[in-house]
RNA sequence: GUGGGUGUAGCUCAAUCGGAUAGAGCAUCAGGCUGUGGCCCUGAGGGCUGGGGGUUCGAAGCCCCUCACCCACCCCA
């Protein structure tokens, strides 16, 4: 029979990495809870239209990266490529705007994008997604970055940099696009191929280009930052001010823009040089028009997502503490009759217990106990049964003693050792 | 979607110019003690050399196709 392999870009997550992901989630949950966020789960599969409308029809995500297919009844459905759309949909569908002035939510789960895999990039990847609805002021923007720094501090993440910028509101961005386009028009021929398409689709992304030629051509270009309306300017300055009060260090990157259509005003990215090309592991921003666009009331929103696979690449967590582990070895099949009684008793006493489910030589069983890194081996054989005892071998010291076979004293003794 | 690199045992890697039965270490299993792990010793199992086609007397190595992985572009978390 041929073996079946996993799908490209999809992974099995084991042991150490899984432990790391759990640790990250645990720390994030702690601070999310302390700052009043509620967890929710939203579906992995949604109507395709939800993402087309929220993320933007012209974005790469929608145009070529979504897992979209028809369900058996013929409807077009899509595996979520990001979390915000679903959370916004849920917020509107539950009419939370009617009962809460401010809504703070987070969700944890996997997202799907049909991209070519590389370092820190998979087709199924996990995110912690955080969203706040109902506050238009810059204080909440700063609070989110403080939240991020609390989480990263506790995880002892070093070598990261928070970059912030503003992309303005719809009006000042629209105006700036005209200013910028008339500037870049003359230089269009000299831009790289990618930037030529950007000029048509999403001109602001030209600022993001890493190619020297494009960097050079836009060097003395007008910046969105200089063309902001009063309100956006004040918002951003207050935001920077609050960050100082929260003691969150950031870098203002005037060229930072985001690929999703819905962002307004504040945007930010957290980057690490240790990640290779996919160096942003947290990113987000404000999206004041999105809830309305999605059929809800005109409620402002802001949020961010943590890429868990990327974050786990730069997190070091110590080895998890192993439970006290006991291995029971049986010398012969007659001794095996005692298995059920002994195993039950250990489990009831919260002690991790192993035994060889197949009858093997004692030597083989002891090797297995060693491989399992057991703290103790219990040996049961003819001699023990005759004397109504069990032998307890300390696997770390090699010391071996006898205990009455009702295990009461034995369990008391070994429980002290871990 | 586009480039570059890499595919040999469960893992890490050998195999001269295209040459004979594709090897080693680790891991696994068994034995060395008829009731005792680690260290040591002995032995065993494990490969369609990613897959398919071609060239050749002969292919792990050359050619073509394909798949997967890694890295980068693009995009993004």
């Amino acid at each position: 029979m041929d073996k079946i392999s996993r799908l490209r870009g999809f992974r099995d997550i084991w042991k150490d990495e899984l432990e790391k992901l759990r640790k990250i989630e645990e720390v994030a949950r702690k601070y999310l809870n302390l700052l009043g966020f509620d967890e929710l789960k939203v579906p992995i599969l949604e109507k395709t239209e939800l993402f087309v409308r929220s993320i933007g029809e012209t974005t790469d995500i929608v145009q070529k990266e979504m897992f979209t297919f028809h369900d058996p009844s013929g409807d077009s459905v899509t595996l979520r490529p990001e979390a915000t759309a679903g959370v916004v949909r849920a917020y509107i569908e539950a009419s939370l705007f009617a009962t809460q002035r401010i809504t703070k939510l987070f969700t944890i789960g996997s997202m799907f994008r049909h991209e070519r895999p590389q370092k820190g990039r998979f087709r199924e990847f996990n995110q912690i997604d955080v969203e706040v609805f109902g506050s238009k002021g810059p204080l909440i923007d700063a609070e989110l970055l403080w939240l991020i720094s609390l989480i990263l501090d506790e995880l002892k993440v070093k070598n990261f940099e928070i970059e912030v910028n503003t992309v303005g509101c719809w009006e000042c961005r629209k105006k700036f696009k005209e200013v910028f386009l008339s500037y870049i028009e003359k230089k269009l021929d000299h831009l790289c191929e990618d930037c030529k398409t950007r000029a048509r689709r999403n001109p602001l992304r030209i600022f993001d280009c890493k190619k020297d030629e494009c960097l050079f051509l836009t060097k003395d270009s007008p910046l969105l930052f200089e063309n902001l309306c009063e309100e956006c300017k004040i918002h951003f300055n207050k935001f920077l001010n609050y960050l100082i009060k929260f003691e969150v260090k950031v870098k203002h990157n005037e060229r930072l823009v985001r690929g999703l259509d819905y962002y307004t005003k504040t945007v930010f990215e957290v980057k690490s040089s240790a990640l290779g090309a996919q160096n942003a592991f947290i990113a987000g921003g404000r999206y004041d028009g999105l809830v309305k666009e999605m059929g809800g009331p005109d409620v402002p929103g802001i949020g961010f997502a943590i890429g868990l696979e990327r974050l786990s690449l730069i997190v070091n967590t110590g080895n998890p503490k192993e439970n006290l582990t006991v291995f029971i070895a049986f010398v012969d099949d007659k001794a095996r009759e005692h298995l059920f009684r002994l195993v039950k008793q250990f489990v009831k006493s919260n002690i991790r217990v192993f035994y060889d489910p197949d009858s093997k030589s004692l030597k083989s069983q002891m090797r297995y106990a060693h491989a399992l890194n057991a703290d103790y081996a219990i040996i049961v054989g003819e001699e023990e049964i005759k004397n109504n005892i069990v032998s307890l071998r300390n696997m770390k010291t090699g010391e071996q003693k006898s205990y009455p076979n009702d295990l009461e004293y034995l369990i008391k003794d070994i429980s002290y050792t871990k």
Side-chain angles (χ1 to χ4, degrees), chain A residues 17 50 54 166 172 246 293 321 365:
Chain A
E17 196 190 352
L50 174 72
S54 61
T166 176
C172 49
F246 277 124
E293 177 66 28
K321 271 196 208 112
Q365 292 178 71

Side-chain angles (χ1 to χ4, degrees), chain A residues 186-199:
Chain A
K186 295 158 247 165
K187 311 188 170 192
L188 209 57
D189 291 342
H190 304 290
L191 289 169
C192 72
E193 285 309 307
D194 291 322
C195 280
K196 280 175 195 159
T197 32
R198 284 181 185 127

Side-chain angles (χ1 to χ4, degrees), chain A residues 279-296:
Chain A
N279 60 357
F281 62 97
I282 300 178
R286 181 165 276 283
Y287 47 82
D288 286 346
L290 183 61
V291 175
K292 192 175 180 193
E293 177 66 28
M294 299 309 290

Side-chain angles (χ1 to χ4, degrees), chain A residues 145-205:
Chain A
L145 291 188
W146 179 49
L147 168 65
I148 288 170
S149 75
L150 286 170
I151 294 169
L152 295 182
D153 276 1
E154 177 146 342
L155 289 169
K156 298 190 170 64
V157 178
K158 312 271 187 243
N159 301 323
F160 68 88
E161 193 161 58
I162 302 175
E163 294 187 355
V164 301
N165 194 24
T166 176
V167 293
C169 57
W170 289 101
E171 287 85 62
C172 49
R173 191 154 69 211
K174 200 176 156 198
K175 263 187 224 153
F176 175 71
K177 266 187 197 165
E178 282 164 27
V179 175
F180 180 65
L181 276 174
S182 69
Y183 167 85
I184 207 76
E185 222 166 28
K186 295 158 247 165
K187 311 188 170 192
L188 209 57
D189 291 342
H190 304 290
L191 289 169
C192 72
E193 285 309 307
D194 291 322
C195 280
K196 280 175 195 159
T197 32
R198 284 181 185 127
R200 267 179 288 121
R201 289 240 300 263
N202 191 352
L204 296 191
R205 290 203 59 85

Side-chain angles (χ1 to χ4, degrees), chain A residues 10-159:
Chain A
F10 287 70
R11 302 179 318 132
D12 305 309
I13 303 174
W14 301 89
K15 297 232 162 180
D16 289 1
E17 196 190 352
L18 189 58
E19 196 56 46
K20 231 190 251 187
L21 291 176
R22 284 200 201 295
K23 175 74 184 169
I24 293 169
E25 279 188 26
E26 182 194 315
V27 171
R29 276 205 169 85
K30 174 179 145 189
Y31 288 106
L32 283 161
N33 185 262
L34 287 170
L35 287 173
F37 286 82
D38 287 324
E39 181 166 7
L40 87 157
K41 289 278 181 197
V42 291
I44 285 174
L45 197 63
E46 299 263 14
K47 288 183 184 166
T48 302
E49 196 204 343
L50 174 72
F51 303 113
V52 174
R53 220 152 96 195
S54 61
I55 298 168
E57 195 142 17
T58 60
T59 57
D60 276 23
I61 293 180
V62 169
Q63 295 227 317
K64 47 192 190 194
E65 294 172 4
M66 297 204 302
F67 280 91
T68 295
F69 53 93
H70 292 281
D71 75 3
S73 51
D75 297 328
S76 180
V77 294
T78 296
L79 286 171
R80 60 182 184 195
E82 56 105 47
T84 303
V87 174
V88 168
R89 197 223 75 242
Y91 171 78
I92 295 169
E93 223 170 324
S95 300
L96 290 183
F97 49 81
T99 53
Q100 306 178 338
R101 200 168 60 72
I102 308 280
T103 301
K104 294 173 132 184
L105 297 171
F106 74 99
T107 188
I108 303 179
S110 47
M111 310 297 150
F112 304 84
R113 287 183 205 172
H114 194 273
E115 298 182 274
R116 192 90 169 251
Q118 71 184 71
K119 189 181 172 96
R121 190 169 83 180
F122 307 100
R123 289 185 173 181
E124 180 185 19
F125 57 98
N126 288 277
Q127 287 190 340
I128 299 178
D129 181 76
V130 178
E131 313 286 351
V132 180
F133 300 100
S135 171
K136 67 178 198 302
L139 180 55
I140 196 70
D141 306 22
E143 186 192 289
L144 288 187
L145 291 188
W146 179 49
L147 168 65
I148 288 170
S149 75
L150 286 170
I151 294 169
L152 295 182
D153 276 1
E154 177 146 342
L155 289 169
K156 298 190 170 64
V157 178
K158 312 271 187 243
N159 301 323

